[in-house]
Amino acid sequence: MADIIQLLPDHVANQIAAGEVVQRPASVVKELLENSIDAGAYSIKLIIKDAGKTLIQVIDNGKGMSATDARLSFERHATSKIRSAEDLFSLNTKGFRGEALASIAAIAHVELKTKQDQDELGTVIEIEGSEIKNQEVTVTPTGTSLCVKHLFFNIPARRNFLKSNNVELRHIVDEFHRVALAHPDIEFLMYHNGSESFNLPKSNYRQRVVNIFGNKTNEKLVPVVEETEVLKISGFVGKPEFAKRTRTEQFFFVNNRFIKSPYLNHAINSAFEGLMKDGSHPSYFLNLTVDPKSIDINIHPTKTEIKFDDEHTLYAILRAAVKHSLGQFNIAPVLDFDRDRNLDTPYDFENKRASTPTVEVDRSFNPFQEERVQSRSSGSSSSSSSSSSNYRKEPASQWESLYVGLESKGTKTENNFSEVQFESQPENTSLFDDGKQVETKQRTYQFHNKYIISTIKSGMMILDQHRAHQRVLYEGLLKHLTVKESVSQQLLFPLSLEFSSSEMEILENLKEDLEHTGFIFTSFTEVGIEITGVPINVPESEVSIILEQLISDVEQEVPDSHFSATDLLAKSMAKSLAIKTGQSLSRLEQEHLVNSLFACKEPTVSPTNKVTFITMSVDDFDKKFI
């Protein structure tokens, strides 16, 4: 039998590797930014067009590369970071496998310009699909400029799987935030379609967080500092009252590398236990410094997951450090045994003895003894009697006279009360009153504050109140958005809400649709909004929750067409406004919900295509008793 195993060509192997390393334009941004940091740059510029599908360019002022290194950097497993397998356990750089540039060059048009400080001329290399088209010397500033165009040009199937520009841009901004937060000592700039999105100057860590997430973030931060032999922690956590409904402001950095760790995230949630509402997530920006030999980074292609030697110790230290910071800054209630100097004895009273207070008591006072009117003059009374007179009450003379004559007036009083008429509102009768009083019977019952049970001709119907209300609200909101007619209720005082620049961009795109639902905006700035009107039946306290949930839904899935965006807005608001499980409903509310559901066009499923009710016939019950 002929041999069937053969080696793959380099360009095919690079495309396969690109499937692991380059999942979307954000993956390219991450790799290029990390390469610039490893090159020692202190100013990095990111230029994006069409959410990275057309252009991704990173310009830095690092040390650059020679002509030989520039050519060799696009070869697979070519790296300057490691020399042996032992070096994998003492890594202090971002990249080390040498697969990023080779994978990117296999699926895009790449142009590299680089120059070292000691050289007069630099090198330019042009590559298309792993094939070098041109290499020559050029005039370029010190550092490196790497331009990636037409991503996935030779893999149309991968390009078709990319999301809309808004979604891809959201992922790029997330990667930009992760790299920029880990290195506050480096200047970062980002441009999208010719406009400046971020300008982050060199600063300290707190200022970098504020520059990214808005000026109002400064008052929300609580410092966390802890240093042990195993772990060094620095950074900030958000105050519990500013907890969000989403996880967008949760960042772990281990040795200046962003990671995802559900285990350590549980430690933070445990420290915040009892301080936040259900469904809220704390914000944190924490830097963890550990011995590089105690972690393994090379377990995931994107290097966002690492393995710790002793996770249990890190969990306990992290939880204790966060809990201590919350207590130290009076965020959480604690028992403080430190002496408060405000409670010390004043200096002037330090050597004085406390005087015992005296109490004077009239031992002759008897509240049950009848008061006697004394005829003798007050001048002849003794001092004791005069002092005792201060404690005597005035005699309640002739109190019996208040009740004299009641028996004789009783008949007249009864006659007066019999003539009293009480005001009452007329009873509302039916338009088709046949003279018979109709008894109202309860046809719905609430079960465990979650389900509504209603009787039908064939048996019984069980309705999920949360899903049913979602369907009712969804169709109503969709109608307002489509017809562009809505009713608003004015707020007594304007409501001001703060958002980050990326969240404001999402709200800006949805502003028109939100106005069609009933929101009235009087101010729309780069850092926040001001609302003077909200849709009917939307409480003021729920506005921020609704908008945060909407931003989260948009970040996860932003549709392309306008109708789909309208549909998503209606779904998100219906989910936020629908009555929750555990909410008690009156009989009228239960019946109204049932009637409103069956007045919908599609009452059988919720907006997320989940069943809203089930039915059980009498035969089903009969089978249970066989």
Side-chain angles (χ1 to χ4, degrees):
M1 184 176 179
D3 299 333
I4 59 175
I5 297 178
Q6 59 183 356
L7 293 174
L8 288 174
D10 288 342
H11 68 281
V12 177
N14 288 338
Q15 288 187 6
I16 296 173
E20 296 181 353
V21 179
V22 183
Q23 300 173 356
R24 57 189 348 135
S27 305
V28 178
V29 171
K30 172 182 179 294
E31 298 292 346
L32 298 185
L33 290 178
E34 289 180 347
N35 285 344
S36 297
I37 294 171
D38 287 340
Y42 56 85
S43 178
I44 301 174
K45 183 185 297 183
L46 173 64
I47 302 173
I48 300 294
K49 286 186 180 179
D50 297 332
K53 298 176 183 179
T54 302
L55 172 68
I56 300 173
Q57 185 176 8
V58 174
I59 304 173
D60 66 62
N61 60 354
K63 57 186 178 183
M65 292 182 287
S66 64
T68 303
D69 287 345
R71 179 71 175 263
L72 197 60
S73 64
F74 290 98
E75 299 293 332
R76 288 194 70 200
H77 307 306
T79 178
S80 62
K81 314 299 172 53
I82 60 175
R83 292 289 183 269
S84 62
E86 287 75 16
D87 294 339
L88 291 172
F89 299 98
S90 58
L91 289 170
N92 294 308
T93 57
K94 302 290 184 180
F96 53 89
R97 287 197 288 255
E99 291 180 323
L101 291 181
S103 301
I104 294 171
I107 55 175
H109 296 173
V110 178
E111 182 185 64
L112 172 67
K113 292 182 180 180
T114 183
K115 185 181 86 70
Q116 293 180 326
D117 189 27
Q118 65 272 16
D119 297 334
E120 294 183 0
L121 297 175
T123 304
V124 57
I125 299 178
E126 297 178 3
I127 301 176
E128 296 180 7
S130 295
E131 183 180 352
I132 298 178
K133 297 293 185 179
N134 181 32
Q135 179 177 353
E136 57 186 9
V137 295
T138 186
V139 178
T140 183
T142 301
T144 303
S145 171
L146 204 147
C147 184
V148 179
K149 302 177 182 178
H150 311 301
L151 194 65
F152 300 122
F153 79 99
N154 53 355
I155 313 178
R158 289 292 301 275
R159 190 176 181 88
N160 292 335
F161 272 100
L162 294 179
K163 303 290 185 181
S164 64
N165 286 353
N166 289 332
V167 174
E168 296 300 336
L169 179 62
R170 178 69 243 173
H171 286 284
I172 290 175
V173 171
D174 287 343
E175 292 294 348
F176 181 80
H177 287 172
R178 293 166 183 175
V179 177
L181 282 173
H183 300 275
D185 55 336
I186 300 177
E187 178 189 25
F188 286 92
L189 296 95
M190 178 178 171
Y191 298 88
H192 180 242
N193 291 339
S195 62
E196 183 180 87
S197 299
F198 292 96
N199 187 347
L200 308 177
K202 179 181 177 180
S203 60
N204 56 30
Y205 190 59
R206 189 185 193 108
Q207 191 61 42
R208 175 57 56 88
V209 174
V210 172
N211 288 338
I212 292 178
F213 296 100
N215 294 329
K216 291 295 182 179
T217 311
N218 189 34
E219 63 187 30
K220 306 175 184 178
L221 301 179
V222 177
V224 179
V225 179
E226 188 66 42
E227 187 171 356
T228 65
E229 297 179 356
V230 180
L231 174 66
K232 180 180 178 182
I233 305 174
S234 63
F236 305 93
V237 295
K239 294 181 180 178
E241 59 265 29
F242 298 106
K244 292 198 168 188
R245 309 285 293 183
T246 61
R247 302 177 183 269
T248 54
E249 295 184 1
Q250 295 185 344
F251 296 89
F252 272 126
F253 301 98
V254 175
N255 295 351
N256 293 331
R257 182 190 301 274
F258 173 79
I259 67 159
K260 297 178 181 178
S261 176
Y263 187 69
L264 296 182
N265 179 72
H266 188 275
I268 303 294
N269 291 333
S270 178
F272 276 87
E273 186 177 3
L275 301 176
M276 298 185 306
K277 298 179 181 178
D278 294 338
S280 301
H281 303 284
S283 302
Y284 54 80
F285 315 88
L286 296 176
N287 296 299
L288 311 180
T289 304
V290 298
D291 186 0
K293 296 181 179 180
S294 64
I295 58 176
D296 186 4
I297 303 171
N298 194 28
I299 64 171
H300 195 273
T302 60
K303 300 185 286 290
T304 56
E305 297 180 10
I306 64 177
K307 183 174 179 57
F308 297 95
D309 285 349
D310 190 1
E311 285 187 331
H312 298 289
T313 301
L314 300 183
Y315 181 99
I317 297 175
L318 181 62
R319 180 180 179 275
V322 173
K323 209 170 185 64
H324 174 71
S325 294
L326 294 176
Q328 183 181 8
F329 291 92
N330 297 327
I331 306 300
V334 295
L335 287 175
D336 189 2
F337 294 99
D338 294 337
R339 185 185 61 168
D340 188 355
R341 299 190 63 86
N342 294 326
L343 301 179
D344 291 346
T345 305
Y347 180 77
D348 296 338
F349 298 92
E350 186 173 359
N351 298 322
K352 291 184 178 180
R353 297 183 62 183
S355 59
T356 304
T358 58
V359 179
E360 296 180 359
V361 179
D362 183 10
R363 300 186 182 277
S364 62
F365 175 70
N366 186 358
F368 301 101
Q369 182 180 4
E370 293 184 358
E371 300 289 344
R372 297 178 180 176
V373 181
Q374 298 179 358
S375 59
R376 62 179 179 272
S377 63
S378 58
S380 62
S381 60
S382 61
S383 62
S384 60
S385 62
S386 62
S387 62
S388 64
S389 63
N390 296 331
Y391 297 95
R392 292 177 181 174
K393 298 187 297 183
E394 292 296 328
S397 60
Q398 299 180 355
W399 60 269
E400 297 89 350
S401 62
L402 296 175
Y403 299 94
V404 174
L406 286 181
E407 294 181 357
S408 61
K409 297 179 182 179
T411 308
K412 185 177 180 180
T413 304
E414 290 180 0
N415 294 334
N416 290 338
F417 274 105
S418 63
E419 298 175 358
V420 173
Q421 296 181 355
F422 296 94
E423 294 184 358
S424 62
Q425 295 182 354
E427 297 182 358
N428 294 327
T429 58
S430 174
L431 293 175
F432 306 99
D433 191 5
D434 55 356
K436 297 181 180 179
Q437 188 174 1
V438 181
E439 295 182 359
T440 58
K441 296 182 179 179
Q442 184 170 355
R443 298 182 177 274
T444 59
Y445 303 89
Q446 192 175 23
F447 180 66
H448 279 272
N449 289 341
K450 183 177 182 181
Y451 300 105
I452 296 176
I453 301 175
S454 178
T455 57
I456 56 178
K457 290 183 178 180
S458 60
M460 180 177 67
M461 179 186 67
I462 304 175
L463 180 142
D464 188 311
Q465 64 183 30
H466 178 63
R467 295 180 184 178
H469 198 209
Q470 275 193 50
R471 166 54 64 176
V472 174
L473 292 175
Y474 168 72
E475 294 198 2
L477 290 167
L478 200 59
K479 178 181 178 182
H480 291 315
L481 289 169
T482 306
V483 181
K484 298 183 180 180
E485 293 180 357
S486 61
V487 181
S488 302
Q489 58 182 0
Q490 297 294 319
L491 298 177
L492 185 60
F493 300 102
L495 178 63
S496 299
L497 299 175
E498 301 288 340
F499 295 98
S500 63
S501 57
S502 58
E503 293 173 340
M504 284 301 303
E505 186 176 352
I506 295 174
L507 291 176
E508 184 73 35
N509 296 332
L510 296 173
K511 179 182 178 182
E512 185 178 355
D513 290 331
L514 287 171
E515 289 175 343
H516 293 157
T517 63
F519 283 97
I520 299 177
F521 302 99
T522 55
S523 175
F524 229 92
T525 63
E526 296 180 356
V527 295
I529 59 177
E530 187 176 83
I531 302 174
T532 57
V534 295
I536 291 180
N537 298 327
V538 175
E540 182 179 348
S541 58
E542 296 287 328
V543 173
S544 61
I545 299 175
I546 292 171
L547 295 180
E548 288 180 6
Q549 183 65 52
L550 176 61
I551 292 172
S552 175
D553 293 339
V554 171
E555 288 175 349
Q556 295 175 7
E557 181 186 8
V558 178
D560 297 324
S561 63
H562 179 74
F563 176 78
S564 297
T566 303
D567 183 72
L568 176 64
L569 176 60
K571 286 182 180 178
S572 179
M573 291 188 63
K575 180 169 59 175
S576 301
L577 294 173
I579 55 178
K580 304 298 187 291
T581 298
Q583 183 174 346
S584 178
L585 302 177
S586 65
R587 181 176 60 84
L588 292 177
E589 291 172 336
Q590 297 170 25
E591 294 179 354
H592 178 71
L593 180 58
V594 174
N595 296 333
S596 300
L597 176 64
F598 287 98
C600 295
K601 295 181 180 179
E602 191 65 42
T604 56
V605 293
S606 68
T608 55
N609 292 326
K610 295 181 179 179
V611 178
T612 57
F613 67 90
I614 61 172
T615 58
M616 296 184 68
S617 63
V618 178
D619 294 337
D620 295 332
F621 285 100
D622 292 339
K623 293 177 183 178
K624 298 291 184 182
F625 290 93
I626 294 178

